[in-house]
Amino acid sequence: MSLPKIGVTMGDPTGIGPEIIVKVLSQKELYKVCRPIVFGDEKVLLRAIQKEGLPVKVEVIKDIPEGGYGPQRIFLVALTKLDPETLQTGRPDRQCGEGMIRYIVEAVRKVREGFIHGITTCPISKQAIHEAGYSFSGHTELLAHLTHSSPVAMMFIGSKWKVVLATTHLPLGDVPKWVRKDRLLSIFLLTHNEMKKYFNLLKPKIAVLGLNPHGGEGGLLGKEEELEIIPAILEAKSQGMDVEGPFPADSFFNLHLPPSFDVIIAMYHDQGLIPMKILGLDDSVHLTLGLPFVRTSVAHGTAYNIVGKGLANPKSLEKALLTAANLSKFKKDL
């Protein structure tokens, strides 16, 4: 069986995306599990290669090749022509914002047309894509729009836990508006089905966290648990899902005990990601649930403070690529 082709989107040209890409793709071990193709900018990648002192060449391609993949040769679908000399670290301009979108859009087109088997994304600047005229608050929302997918959810896979976010990139004040029975039930069902498909669990054990302190304390500290979360859990149980909760989030995650559940559903971004990132930024990988193809991502941001200093750790990208390659055999029909 031939190795899966995984598209790697470059992300923000002024962030650490180009650095971690050239570091990972210069390692021969990666090519034993997948065939990577970068969607990005030639000169930006060449500058990253030069700064890292790597014996790697970039080959611009128009068509996705079947063979020839290896650590001295990075295949690139070149979609922008940026001038690295004018780029400022951590200050992406409108061209960069447009490029970030273009890399993603083209990778999605290639996977939907069957030329590649999955996508792994490097971090973007949400502010830059807004300045370029796009209103999406992140990769997840853009990918859902491009594929007309609903619902979608962000799952983070770590060495200890798997965490799904019931809401994505929202201001904290807006979260309660999205914590509604019907929407939660759709996230429970999506998580149940994707855990069965990707992790071969016939009846995954799902834990649900509360929204409010102490799970609402019987309504004294918030009513979302009683009015929305518990009814959604009960309905999920009636449909045959193994769902428990809501559990108080502040006491749920225990570093010293083995997990009691296959997956945890957190109500909002930081509630789920703080415990994951305590274990280390290179420990987890983001998998988007609900898309018609496999999409993984690094679990960190653009890291402007270390760009160009040789400090960027490529482990999360390496893990994201390995995960995409492993899960791409479960790719849905497009």
PDB file of all heavy atoms in Angstrom, residues 69-98:
ATOM      1  N   TYR A  69       9.865  11.514  -3.175  1.00  0.00           N
ATOM      2  CA  TYR A  69       9.834  12.190  -1.877  1.00  0.00           C
ATOM      3  C   TYR A  69      11.035  11.774  -1.038  1.00  0.00           C
ATOM      4  O   TYR A  69      11.405  10.599  -1.003  1.00  0.00           O
ATOM      5  CB  TYR A  69       8.547  11.836  -1.132  1.00  0.00           C
ATOM      6  CG  TYR A  69       7.292  12.331  -1.814  1.00  0.00           C
ATOM      7  CD1 TYR A  69       6.710  11.599  -2.854  1.00  0.00           C
ATOM      8  CD2 TYR A  69       6.695  13.522  -1.429  1.00  0.00           C
ATOM      9  CE1 TYR A  69       5.567  12.049  -3.484  1.00  0.00           C
ATOM     10  CE2 TYR A  69       5.540  13.982  -2.050  1.00  0.00           C
ATOM     11  CZ  TYR A  69       4.977  13.242  -3.088  1.00  0.00           C
ATOM     12  OH  TYR A  69       3.845  13.690  -3.718  1.00  0.00           O
ATOM     13  N   GLY A  70      11.638  12.748  -0.343  1.00  0.00           N
ATOM     14  CA  GLY A  70      12.776  12.432   0.506  1.00  0.00           C
ATOM     15  C   GLY A  70      13.251  13.646   1.266  1.00  0.00           C
ATOM     16  O   GLY A  70      12.847  14.785   0.967  1.00  0.00           O
ATOM     17  N   PRO A  71      14.119  13.469   2.257  1.00  0.00           N
ATOM     18  CA  PRO A  71      14.507  14.545   3.165  1.00  0.00           C
ATOM     19  C   PRO A  71      15.382  15.630   2.548  1.00  0.00           C
ATOM     20  O   PRO A  71      15.586  16.670   3.164  1.00  0.00           O
ATOM     21  CB  PRO A  71      15.249  13.805   4.287  1.00  0.00           C
ATOM     22  CG  PRO A  71      15.742  12.546   3.657  1.00  0.00           C
ATOM     23  CD  PRO A  71      14.696  12.173   2.659  1.00  0.00           C
ATOM     24  N   GLN A  72      15.927  15.403   1.362  1.00  0.00           N
ATOM     25  CA  GLN A  72      16.713  16.463   0.715  1.00  0.00           C
ATOM     26  C   GLN A  72      15.896  17.232  -0.319  1.00  0.00           C
ATOM     27  O   GLN A  72      16.418  18.086  -1.013  1.00  0.00           O
ATOM     28  CB  GLN A  72      17.946  15.857   0.016  1.00  0.00           C
ATOM     29  CG  GLN A  72      19.092  15.521   0.974  1.00  0.00           C
ATOM     30  CD  GLN A  72      18.849  14.237   1.731  1.00  0.00           C
ATOM     31  OE1 GLN A  72      18.429  13.238   1.149  1.00  0.00           O
ATOM     32  NE2 GLN A  72      19.108  14.255   3.021  1.00  0.00           N
ATOM     33  N   ARG A  73      14.598  16.944  -0.367  1.00  0.00           N
ATOM     34  CA  ARG A  73      13.785  17.491  -1.464  1.00  0.00           C
ATOM     35  C   ARG A  73      12.377  17.789  -0.953  1.00  0.00           C
ATOM     36  O   ARG A  73      11.625  16.877  -0.641  1.00  0.00           O
ATOM     37  CB  ARG A  73      13.748  16.447  -2.576  1.00  0.00           C
ATOM     38  CG  ARG A  73      13.131  16.878  -3.871  1.00  0.00           C
ATOM     39  CD  ARG A  73      13.109  15.659  -4.791  1.00  0.00           C
ATOM     40  NE  ARG A  73      12.867  15.989  -6.176  1.00  0.00           N
ATOM     41  CZ  ARG A  73      12.666  15.089  -7.116  1.00  0.00           C
ATOM     42  NH1 ARG A  73      12.694  13.791  -6.826  1.00  0.00           N
ATOM     43  NH2 ARG A  73      12.445  15.456  -8.361  1.00  0.00           N
ATOM     44  N   ILE A  74      12.047  19.065  -0.843  1.00  0.00           N
ATOM     45  CA  ILE A  74      10.713  19.460  -0.395  1.00  0.00           C
ATOM     46  C   ILE A  74       9.877  19.844  -1.612  1.00  0.00           C
ATOM     47  O   ILE A  74      10.231  20.772  -2.354  1.00  0.00           O
ATOM     48  CB  ILE A  74      10.779  20.642   0.592  1.00  0.00           C
ATOM     49  CG1 ILE A  74      11.485  20.227   1.880  1.00  0.00           C
ATOM     50  CG2 ILE A  74       9.374  21.174   0.902  1.00  0.00           C
ATOM     51  CD1 ILE A  74      11.663  21.349   2.879  1.00  0.00           C
ATOM     52  N   PHE A  75       8.791  19.132  -1.841  1.00  0.00           N
ATOM     53  CA  PHE A  75       7.869  19.491  -2.912  1.00  0.00           C
ATOM     54  C   PHE A  75       6.971  20.624  -2.437  1.00  0.00           C
ATOM     55  O   PHE A  75       6.389  20.561  -1.349  1.00  0.00           O
ATOM     56  CB  PHE A  75       7.019  18.293  -3.321  1.00  0.00           C
ATOM     57  CG  PHE A  75       7.781  17.249  -4.098  1.00  0.00           C
ATOM     58  CD1 PHE A  75       7.683  15.901  -3.770  1.00  0.00           C
ATOM     59  CD2 PHE A  75       8.588  17.610  -5.167  1.00  0.00           C
ATOM     60  CE1 PHE A  75       8.369  14.942  -4.492  1.00  0.00           C
ATOM     61  CE2 PHE A  75       9.276  16.657  -5.901  1.00  0.00           C
ATOM     62  CZ  PHE A  75       9.175  15.313  -5.558  1.00  0.00           C
ATOM     63  N   LEU A  76       6.847  21.651  -3.273  1.00  0.00           N
ATOM     64  CA  LEU A  76       6.093  22.856  -2.898  1.00  0.00           C
ATOM     65  C   LEU A  76       5.102  23.245  -3.988  1.00  0.00           C
ATOM     66  O   LEU A  76       5.478  23.376  -5.156  1.00  0.00           O
ATOM     67  CB  LEU A  76       7.052  24.021  -2.649  1.00  0.00           C
ATOM     68  CG  LEU A  76       6.413  25.410  -2.504  1.00  0.00           C
ATOM     69  CD1 LEU A  76       5.632  25.520  -1.206  1.00  0.00           C
ATOM     70  CD2 LEU A  76       7.462  26.513  -2.608  1.00  0.00           C
ATOM     71  N   VAL A  77       3.859  23.454  -3.585  1.00  0.00           N
ATOM     72  CA  VAL A  77       2.876  24.132  -4.427  1.00  0.00           C
ATOM     73  C   VAL A  77       2.987  25.607  -4.067  1.00  0.00           C
ATOM     74  O   VAL A  77       2.542  26.043  -3.002  1.00  0.00           O
ATOM     75  CB  VAL A  77       1.448  23.608  -4.180  1.00  0.00           C
ATOM     76  CG1 VAL A  77       0.444  24.371  -5.037  1.00  0.00           C
ATOM     77  CG2 VAL A  77       1.366  22.111  -4.461  1.00  0.00           C
ATOM     78  N   ALA A  78       3.636  26.375  -4.947  1.00  0.00           N
ATOM     79  CA  ALA A  78       3.922  27.788  -4.657  1.00  0.00           C
ATOM     80  C   ALA A  78       2.714  28.651  -4.998  1.00  0.00           C
ATOM     81  O   ALA A  78       2.295  28.715  -6.159  1.00  0.00           O
ATOM     82  CB  ALA A  78       5.146  28.241  -5.441  1.00  0.00           C
ATOM     83  N   LEU A  79       2.168  29.320  -3.988  1.00  0.00           N
ATOM     84  CA  LEU A  79       0.923  30.066  -4.169  1.00  0.00           C
ATOM     85  C   LEU A  79       1.073  31.566  -3.942  1.00  0.00           C
ATOM     86  O   LEU A  79       0.148  32.326  -4.220  1.00  0.00           O
ATOM     87  CB  LEU A  79      -0.150  29.505  -3.225  1.00  0.00           C
ATOM     88  CG  LEU A  79      -0.508  28.039  -3.501  1.00  0.00           C
ATOM     89  CD1 LEU A  79      -1.258  27.442  -2.320  1.00  0.00           C
ATOM     90  CD2 LEU A  79      -1.353  27.938  -4.761  1.00  0.00           C
ATOM     91  N   THR A  80       2.208  31.993  -3.414  1.00  0.00           N
ATOM     92  CA  THR A  80       2.492  33.421  -3.246  1.00  0.00           C
ATOM     93  C   THR A  80       3.932  33.684  -3.678  1.00  0.00           C
ATOM     94  O   THR A  80       4.747  32.761  -3.770  1.00  0.00           O
ATOM     95  CB  THR A  80       2.306  33.877  -1.790  1.00  0.00           C
ATOM     96  OG1 THR A  80       3.081  33.023  -0.916  1.00  0.00           O
ATOM     97  CG2 THR A  80       0.854  33.832  -1.373  1.00  0.00           C
ATOM     98  N   LYS A  81       4.222  34.952  -3.908  1.00  0.00           N
ATOM     99  CA  LYS A  81       5.584  35.385  -4.247  1.00  0.00           C
ATOM    100  C   LYS A  81       5.960  36.537  -3.327  1.00  0.00           C
ATOM    101  O   LYS A  81       6.031  37.702  -3.731  1.00  0.00           O
ATOM    102  CB  LYS A  81       5.664  35.793  -5.718  1.00  0.00           C
ATOM    103  CG  LYS A  81       5.447  34.638  -6.686  1.00  0.00           C
ATOM    104  CD  LYS A  81       5.619  35.066  -8.140  1.00  0.00           C
ATOM    105  CE  LYS A  81       5.453  33.887  -9.084  1.00  0.00           C
ATOM    106  NZ  LYS A  81       5.643  34.295 -10.510  1.00  0.00           N
ATOM    107  N   LEU A  82       6.197  36.192  -2.074  1.00  0.00           N
ATOM    108  CA  LEU A  82       6.521  37.192  -1.071  1.00  0.00           C
ATOM    109  C   LEU A  82       8.015  37.514  -1.109  1.00  0.00           C
ATOM    110  O   LEU A  82       8.828  36.699  -1.539  1.00  0.00           O
ATOM    111  CB  LEU A  82       6.137  36.687   0.319  1.00  0.00           C
ATOM    112  CG  LEU A  82       4.660  36.310   0.512  1.00  0.00           C
ATOM    113  CD1 LEU A  82       4.450  35.670   1.881  1.00  0.00           C
ATOM    114  CD2 LEU A  82       3.763  37.532   0.361  1.00  0.00           C
ATOM    115  N   ASP A  83       8.356  38.703  -0.643  1.00  0.00           N
ATOM    116  CA  ASP A  83       9.756  39.118  -0.543  1.00  0.00           C
ATOM    117  C   ASP A  83      10.198  38.983   0.909  1.00  0.00           C
ATOM    118  O   ASP A  83       9.815  39.798   1.755  1.00  0.00           O
ATOM    119  CB  ASP A  83       9.907  40.565  -1.005  1.00  0.00           C
ATOM    120  CG  ASP A  83      11.361  41.034  -0.952  1.00  0.00           C
ATOM    121  OD1 ASP A  83      12.231  40.229  -0.563  1.00  0.00           O
ATOM    122  OD2 ASP A  83      11.608  42.205  -1.282  1.00  0.00           O
ATOM    123  N   PRO A  84      10.990  37.972   1.232  1.00  0.00           N
ATOM    124  CA  PRO A  84      11.383  37.758   2.627  1.00  0.00           C
ATOM    125  C   PRO A  84      12.101  38.951   3.239  1.00  0.00           C
ATOM    126  O   PRO A  84      12.056  39.153   4.456  1.00  0.00           O
ATOM    127  CB  PRO A  84      12.315  36.536   2.555  1.00  0.00           C
ATOM    128  CG  PRO A  84      11.946  35.844   1.291  1.00  0.00           C
ATOM    129  CD  PRO A  84      11.541  36.928   0.350  1.00  0.00           C
ATOM    130  N   GLU A  85      12.774  39.750   2.405  1.00  0.00           N
ATOM    131  CA  GLU A  85      13.508  40.895   2.929  1.00  0.00           C
ATOM    132  C   GLU A  85      12.588  41.971   3.483  1.00  0.00           C
ATOM    133  O   GLU A  85      13.004  42.778   4.318  1.00  0.00           O
ATOM    134  CB  GLU A  85      14.401  41.487   1.821  1.00  0.00           C
ATOM    135  CG  GLU A  85      15.436  40.521   1.264  1.00  0.00           C
ATOM    136  CD  GLU A  85      16.358  39.976   2.341  1.00  0.00           C
ATOM    137  OE1 GLU A  85      16.762  40.765   3.230  1.00  0.00           O
ATOM    138  OE2 GLU A  85      16.661  38.770   2.315  1.00  0.00           O
ATOM    139  N   THR A  86      11.362  41.999   3.018  1.00  0.00           N
ATOM    140  CA  THR A  86      10.430  43.028   3.499  1.00  0.00           C
ATOM    141  C   THR A  86       9.516  42.523   4.619  1.00  0.00           C
ATOM    142  O   THR A  86       8.786  43.315   5.213  1.00  0.00           O
ATOM    143  CB  THR A  86       9.554  43.537   2.336  1.00  0.00           C
ATOM    144  OG1 THR A  86       8.717  42.466   1.866  1.00  0.00           O
ATOM    145  CG2 THR A  86      10.418  44.046   1.190  1.00  0.00           C
ATOM    146  N   LEU A  87       9.552  41.223   4.882  1.00  0.00           N
ATOM    147  CA  LEU A  87       8.687  40.681   5.928  1.00  0.00           C
ATOM    148  C   LEU A  87       9.279  40.985   7.308  1.00  0.00           C
ATOM    149  O   LEU A  87      10.480  40.843   7.522  1.00  0.00           O
ATOM    150  CB  LEU A  87       8.541  39.166   5.767  1.00  0.00           C
ATOM    151  CG  LEU A  87       7.868  38.666   4.483  1.00  0.00           C
ATOM    152  CD1 LEU A  87       7.799  37.144   4.496  1.00  0.00           C
ATOM    153  CD2 LEU A  87       6.489  39.265   4.324  1.00  0.00           C
ATOM    154  N   GLN A  88       8.416  41.374   8.229  1.00  0.00           N
ATOM    155  CA  GLN A  88       8.834  41.641   9.600  1.00  0.00           C
ATOM    156  C   GLN A  88       8.252  40.579  10.524  1.00  0.00           C
ATOM    157  O   GLN A  88       7.049  40.319  10.483  1.00  0.00           O
ATOM    158  CB  GLN A  88       8.359  43.026  10.054  1.00  0.00           C
ATOM    159  CG  GLN A  88       8.928  44.174   9.236  1.00  0.00           C
ATOM    160  CD  GLN A  88       8.478  45.517   9.787  1.00  0.00           C
ATOM    161  OE1 GLN A  88       8.699  45.838  10.947  1.00  0.00           O
ATOM    162  NE2 GLN A  88       7.831  46.293   8.948  1.00  0.00           N
ATOM    163  N   THR A  89       9.097  40.002  11.341  1.00  0.00           N
ATOM    164  CA  THR A  89       8.660  38.952  12.249  1.00  0.00           C
ATOM    165  C   THR A  89       7.478  39.408  13.096  1.00  0.00           C
ATOM    166  O   THR A  89       7.532  40.467  13.732  1.00  0.00           O
ATOM    167  CB  THR A  89       9.813  38.541  13.187  1.00  0.00           C
ATOM    168  OG1 THR A  89      10.884  38.045  12.404  1.00  0.00           O
ATOM    169  CG2 THR A  89       9.353  37.483  14.170  1.00  0.00           C
ATOM    170  N   GLY A  90       6.414  38.617  13.061  1.00  0.00           N
ATOM    171  CA  GLY A  90       5.243  38.928  13.881  1.00  0.00           C
ATOM    172  C   GLY A  90       4.399  40.066  13.361  1.00  0.00           C
ATOM    173  O   GLY A  90       3.452  40.488  14.027  1.00  0.00           O
ATOM    174  N   ARG A  91       4.702  40.549  12.167  1.00  0.00           N
ATOM    175  CA  ARG A  91       3.923  41.649  11.589  1.00  0.00           C
ATOM    176  C   ARG A  91       3.490  41.300  10.166  1.00  0.00           C
ATOM    177  O   ARG A  91       3.923  41.938   9.196  1.00  0.00           O
ATOM    178  CB  ARG A  91       4.723  42.952  11.601  1.00  0.00           C
ATOM    179  CG  ARG A  91       5.045  43.450  13.006  1.00  0.00           C
ATOM    180  CD  ARG A  91       5.729  44.793  12.966  1.00  0.00           C
ATOM    181  NE  ARG A  91       6.013  45.279  14.307  1.00  0.00           N
ATOM    182  CZ  ARG A  91       6.601  46.444  14.574  1.00  0.00           C
ATOM    183  NH1 ARG A  91       6.983  47.236  13.573  1.00  0.00           N
ATOM    184  NH2 ARG A  91       6.823  46.808  15.822  1.00  0.00           N
ATOM    185  N   PRO A  92       2.655  40.294  10.019  1.00  0.00           N
ATOM    186  CA  PRO A  92       2.200  39.923   8.674  1.00  0.00           C
ATOM    187  C   PRO A  92       1.358  41.025   8.059  1.00  0.00           C
ATOM    188  O   PRO A  92       0.505  41.614   8.730  1.00  0.00           O
ATOM    189  CB  PRO A  92       1.366  38.660   8.927  1.00  0.00           C
ATOM    190  CG  PRO A  92       0.907  38.792  10.344  1.00  0.00           C
ATOM    191  CD  PRO A  92       2.012  39.480  11.069  1.00  0.00           C
ATOM    192  N   ASP A  93       1.614  41.322   6.792  1.00  0.00           N
ATOM    193  CA  ASP A  93       0.827  42.346   6.103  1.00  0.00           C
ATOM    194  C   ASP A  93      -0.352  41.697   5.389  1.00  0.00           C
ATOM    195  O   ASP A  93      -0.612  40.497   5.540  1.00  0.00           O
ATOM    196  CB  ASP A  93       1.704  43.140   5.131  1.00  0.00           C
ATOM    197  CG  ASP A  93       2.406  42.248   4.104  1.00  0.00           C
ATOM    198  OD1 ASP A  93       1.954  41.095   3.891  1.00  0.00           O
ATOM    199  OD2 ASP A  93       3.401  42.693   3.509  1.00  0.00           O
ATOM    200  N   ARG A  94      -1.046  42.501   4.605  1.00  0.00           N
ATOM    201  CA  ARG A  94      -2.242  42.008   3.914  1.00  0.00           C
ATOM    202  C   ARG A  94      -1.904  40.849   2.965  1.00  0.00           C
ATOM    203  O   ARG A  94      -2.655  39.885   2.865  1.00  0.00           O
ATOM    204  CB  ARG A  94      -2.911  43.146   3.135  1.00  0.00           C
ATOM    205  CG  ARG A  94      -4.229  42.746   2.478  1.00  0.00           C
ATOM    206  CD  ARG A  94      -4.813  43.896   1.668  1.00  0.00           C
ATOM    207  NE  ARG A  94      -6.069  43.489   1.054  1.00  0.00           N
ATOM    208  CZ  ARG A  94      -7.263  43.628   1.618  1.00  0.00           C
ATOM    209  NH1 ARG A  94      -7.349  44.150   2.826  1.00  0.00           N
ATOM    210  NH2 ARG A  94      -8.356  43.232   1.003  1.00  0.00           N
ATOM    211  N   GLN A  95      -0.732  40.967   2.283  1.00  0.00           N
ATOM    212  CA  GLN A  95      -0.325  39.885   1.379  1.00  0.00           C
ATOM    213  C   GLN A  95      -0.146  38.565   2.130  1.00  0.00           C
ATOM    214  O   GLN A  95      -0.520  37.498   1.638  1.00  0.00           O
ATOM    215  CB  GLN A  95       0.994  40.240   0.692  1.00  0.00           C
ATOM    216  CG  GLN A  95       0.911  41.270  -0.408  1.00  0.00           C
ATOM    217  CD  GLN A  95       2.247  41.402  -1.117  1.00  0.00           C
ATOM    218  OE1 GLN A  95       2.511  40.692  -2.087  1.00  0.00           O
ATOM    219  NE2 GLN A  95       3.097  42.281  -0.631  1.00  0.00           N
ATOM    220  N   CYS A  96       0.415  38.655   3.317  1.00  0.00           N
ATOM    221  CA  CYS A  96       0.588  37.448   4.129  1.00  0.00           C
ATOM    222  C   CYS A  96      -0.761  36.861   4.512  1.00  0.00           C
ATOM    223  O   CYS A  96      -0.963  35.647   4.459  1.00  0.00           O
ATOM    224  CB  CYS A  96       1.398  37.766   5.379  1.00  0.00           C
ATOM    225  SG  CYS A  96       3.130  38.181   5.095  1.00  0.00           S
ATOM    226  N   GLY A  97      -1.697  37.744   4.917  1.00  0.00           N
ATOM    227  CA  GLY A  97      -3.027  37.282   5.285  1.00  0.00           C
ATOM    228  C   GLY A  97      -3.719  36.586   4.130  1.00  0.00           C
ATOM    229  O   GLY A  97      -4.340  35.527   4.295  1.00  0.00           O
ATOM    230  N   GLU A  98      -3.605  37.182   2.939  1.00  0.00           N
ATOM    231  CA  GLU A  98      -4.197  36.555   1.756  1.00  0.00           C
ATOM    232  C   GLU A  98      -3.520  35.222   1.449  1.00  0.00           C
ATOM    233  O   GLU A  98      -4.169  34.254   1.035  1.00  0.00           O
ATOM    234  CB  GLU A  98      -4.071  37.507   0.566  1.00  0.00           C
ATOM    235  CG  GLU A  98      -4.943  38.760   0.695  1.00  0.00           C
ATOM    236  CD  GLU A  98      -4.651  39.783  -0.391  1.00  0.00           C
ATOM    237  OE1 GLU A  98      -3.618  39.627  -1.087  1.00  0.00           O
ATOM    238  OE2 GLU A  98      -5.434  40.745  -0.525  1.00  0.00           O
TER     239      GLU A  98
END
